[in-house]
Structures are given as structure tokens and as C-alpha cells.
């Protein structure tokens, strides 16, 4: 049996370290001497070395205890630490880009940019953007459909942002966090969102998601708006949502309605700055399809 000092010497640590782990139940003593001093068996040396190895990885003491108590706990502990480390690294990358943004801007811009950046956590989350869309969307959409819309409409912050992307997200956060117009004072939402217009929003949004997917390749290829399957799907979504058919007359009416509907162009502009040109935003896709509809609707009859 070893005394606490002998165990510390064999392990190459201080007595204080052995006592610390013993007091927290990580290093049980085998017995006590007649004078009440702690005594440890040889197996304590292997356990102490394992504890030190785990602590070298910055594992918290409670996690070390889990690993010591259960052999299969190490994998879960490692996975948890990797998630935490990833979050911390993302926060550091975001802070670094934010500091570059402040350092490199003109002095007269610094106060405004500092205010914008200060309102966003690091790493940022998208809860404010999701709340904005839940206010913007028509009420009582199926939860499944709402989730699909949010997946397309709410951009994820980049893991390794540039200073310009930090600024774009900060401005986007400020935009969606501003006051929302009060319902009943004006038509601040598209006609299809207003129940008195007779639309079935769930039918509309199901069709719009499909139409946006069909148009995506053309927009990425920078092809000019044209008649085709994507436009037909787009118009059909509006037609079916209000219980009518896709006709030339309906297309003319729809083109005028979309031109008069309220828009959130600033939101989509900031999203494009954040995500880059690789993936067209739903706003850009909607504009492309509307332009294709306009071209068809204004064409003289043969």
C-alpha cells in the first residue's frame, strides 16, 4: 500500500493533485492507516494516469468520472467535446471576422457597425430570422410545410465568414428584429397571405417550393426568364390555391397582382450577400419567374 506522497511520486504529480482527485471521488483510496492517513493500492497508479490523460484533453471532471465509471462513455464524451469545441471555434472565427470588419472600415462607419455587430451573438443563431418568417407567413400552415419554407428562407451563417458576410448577417438580423407593421392598418403582406382573399396558402406554398426547384438550374446558369415547366408550375400553384385554372386571362391578372404585392427585397438582397451566388435565393427565383410571367402576359396575341 502506498501513502498519498508515494503515489504522487510514482505518478509524477503533486500530493495536492492526488488529494484533489481523491476528494472528488475519482481516485478511491484502498484503506486508511492507523493514524487515519490515506493508503492506495498499485491499481491507483493506472487510474491516476488515465485521469491525467483525460484531463490533458481538457475534459471536465464530471466527464472524467463518467469515463471512469463506464467504459462505453468515452465515445459519447468525445463527441460532446468535439461539438463544444466546434462551437467555440466558430465563435472565434466569427469574432475574428467582426474585428477585421471594424478595423478596416472608415471611422465614421465604426459606431454603426459596432452597434449592428453587438446585437448578434457569436456564433450567431437564426432564431430572429425564423420568428420573422413565422410572422410573415400566413397563419395555420401545416407544421411540415412551415419547416420546409423556413429551411429555404432562413440562411445558415457561414462557419468561416468573411468580414462582408458578418456585416450582411448583422444587417439581416437588424432588419428582421425591427418593428413589424400592425395587422389591419395596411396590406403589408401579399394577397395570398390574407384570408379574406380566398386563397389556400398551403396549396400555394407547396407548389411554389416545387416551382423554385425547377427554376434553380436556369438561374444558376444565368439564363434569361422564359416560358417553360417552372413557370407553368409557378402559375399553377397560384391558380390551384384560389380554386381556378391556369388561363391567359388568369396570367394577366396574376402578373398585375404580383407587381402590386408588398415585397421584402432588402431581406433577399442581404441573404444573397451572405450566401453568395452559388444558390439562388427564393426571392431571386420568385423575381425570375415573375419576369417570365410578365414577358408572357405582355406578349401580343397571335
Amino acid at each position: 500500500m502506498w501513502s498519498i506522497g508515494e503515489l504522487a511520486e510514482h505518478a509524477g504529480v503533486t500530493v495536492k493533485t492526488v488529494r484533489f482527485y481523491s476528494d472528488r471521488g475519482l481516485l478511491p483510496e484502498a484503506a486508511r492507516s492507523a493514524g487515519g492517513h490515506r493508503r492506495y493500492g498499485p491499481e491507483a497508479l493506472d487510474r491516476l494516469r488515465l485521469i491525467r490523460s483525460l484531463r490533458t484533453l481538457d475534459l471536465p471532471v464530471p466527464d472524467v468520472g463518467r469515463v471512469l465509471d463506464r467504459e462505453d462513455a468515452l465515445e459519447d464524451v468525445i463527441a460532446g467535446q468535439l461539438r463544444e469545441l466546434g462551437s467555440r471555434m466558430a465563435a472565434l472565427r466569427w469574432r475574428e471576422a467582426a474585428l477585421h470588419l471594424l478595423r478596416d472600415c472608415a471611422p465614421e462607419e465604426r459606431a454603426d457597425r459596432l452597434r449592428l455587430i453587438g446585437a448578434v451573438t457569436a456564433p450567431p443563431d437564426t432564431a430572429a430570422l425564423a420568428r420573422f418568417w413565422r410572422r410573415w407567413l400566413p397563419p395555420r400552415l401545416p407544421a411540415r410545410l412551415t419547416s420546409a419554407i423556413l429551411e429555404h428562407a432562413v440562411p445558415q451563417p457561414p462557419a468561416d465568414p468573411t468580414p462582408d458576410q458578418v456585416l450582411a448577417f448583422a444587417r439581416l438580423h437588424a432588419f428582421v428584429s425591427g418593428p413589424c407593421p400592425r395587422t389591419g392598418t395596411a396590406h403589408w403582406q401579399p394577397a395570398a397571405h390574407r384570408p379574406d382573399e380566398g386563397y389556400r396558402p398551403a396549396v400555394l406554398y407547396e407548389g411554389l417550393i416545387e416551382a423554385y426547384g425547377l427554376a434553380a438550374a436556369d438561374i444558376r446558369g444565368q439564363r434569361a426568364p422564359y416560358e417553360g415547366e417552372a413557370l407553368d408550375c409557378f402559375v399553377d400553384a397560384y391558380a390551384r390555391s384560389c380554386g381556378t385554372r391556369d388561363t391567359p386571362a388568369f396570367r394577366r391578372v396574376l402578373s398585375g397582382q404580383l407587381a402590386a404585392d408588398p415585397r421584402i427585397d432588402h431581406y433577399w438582397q442581404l441573404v444573397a450577400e451572405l450566401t453568395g451566388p452559388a444558390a439562388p435565393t427564393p426571392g431571386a427565383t420568385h423575381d425570375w419567374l415573375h419576369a417570365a410571367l410578365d414577358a408572357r402576359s405582355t406578349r401580343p396575341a397571335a
Side-chain angles (χ1 to χ4, degrees):
M1 301 296 271
W2 292 333
S3 68
I4 191 170
E6 290 169 334
L7 177 59
E9 183 178 357
H10 279 89
V13 300
T14 65
V15 170
K16 182 178 180 181
T17 297
V18 177
R19 184 175 292 113
F20 174 84
Y21 292 133
S22 293
D23 290 344
R24 278 153 183 77
L26 300 183
L27 193 63
E29 58 201 49
R32 290 268 179 163
S33 68
H37 299 292
R38 306 179 196 202
R39 291 290 184 265
Y40 300 90
E43 68 280 357
L45 180 59
D46 289 337
R47 190 175 178 91
L48 182 54
R49 285 172 174 164
L50 176 58
I51 292 170
R52 292 188 65 204
S53 296
L54 295 170
R55 291 289 288 157
T56 300
L57 297 173
D58 281 338
L59 293 186
V61 170
D63 283 345
V64 173
R66 288 174 55 201
V67 173
L68 294 173
D69 291 340
R70 287 178 38 227
E71 292 183 3
D72 60 347
L74 181 57
E75 185 173 344
D76 290 342
V77 168
I78 290 174
Q81 286 297 299
L82 285 173
R83 287 192 298 270
E84 181 180 342
L85 186 59
S87 179
R88 286 161 55 190
M89 290 176 67
L92 289 173
R93 287 192 291 265
W94 193 268
R95 287 169 54 192
E96 181 184 27
L99 290 170
H100 280 295
L101 177 68
L102 293 172
R103 183 195 65 184
D104 298 337
C105 71
E108 61 270 19
E109 296 177 313
R110 193 158 289 147
D112 181 59
R113 292 190 175 187
L114 185 59
R115 175 185 58 80
L116 288 170
I117 293 170
V120 178
T121 61
D125 65 53
T126 57
L129 279 65
R131 286 195 298 270
F132 169 83
W133 277 99
R134 292 183 187 281
R135 294 196 307 265
W136 173 263
L137 290 171
R140 294 182 294 280
L141 283 178
R144 168 192 54 78
L145 183 55
T146 299
S147 296
I149 295 169
L150 293 181
E151 183 179 348
H152 288 83
V154 176
Q156 294 303 310
D160 191 6
T162 64
D164 287 342
Q165 287 175 315
V166 169
L167 181 59
F169 188 88
R171 285 175 170 165
L172 190 60
H173 184 275
F175 176 74
V176 301
S177 301
C180 194
R182 290 179 298 167
T183 304
T185 59
H187 288 320
W188 59 277
Q189 288 181 302
H193 291 192
R194 301 193 291 267
D196 58 316
E197 299 290 337
Y199 280 90
R200 292 181 292 167
V203 174
L204 172 63
Y205 273 96
E206 290 275 14
L208 289 181
I209 290 173
E210 181 181 357
Y212 292 172
L214 292 171
D218 287 323
I219 298 173
R220 284 195 297 267
Q222 299 183 339
R223 188 172 182 180
Y226 70 99
E227 292 183 62
E229 184 182 9
L231 178 59
D232 291 342
C233 184
F234 179 73
V235 175
D236 184 63
Y238 278 97
R240 287 188 297 106
S241 72
C242 60
T244 189
R245 295 184 301 109
D246 176 5
T247 64
F250 177 79
R251 291 195 175 205
R252 286 192 294 272
V253 171
L254 177 61
S255 181
Q257 176 194 304
L258 294 180
D261 267 344
R263 302 171 61 86
I264 50 173
D265 291 338
H266 187 55
Y267 179 94
W268 295 120
Q269 176 187 347
L270 292 171
V271 171
E273 293 176 15
L274 180 67
T275 60
T281 68
T285 308
H286 184 92
D287 288 346
W288 190 92
L289 289 164
H290 187 196
L293 175 64
D294 269 350
R296 175 68 181 84
S297 301
T298 57
R299 182 182 305 169

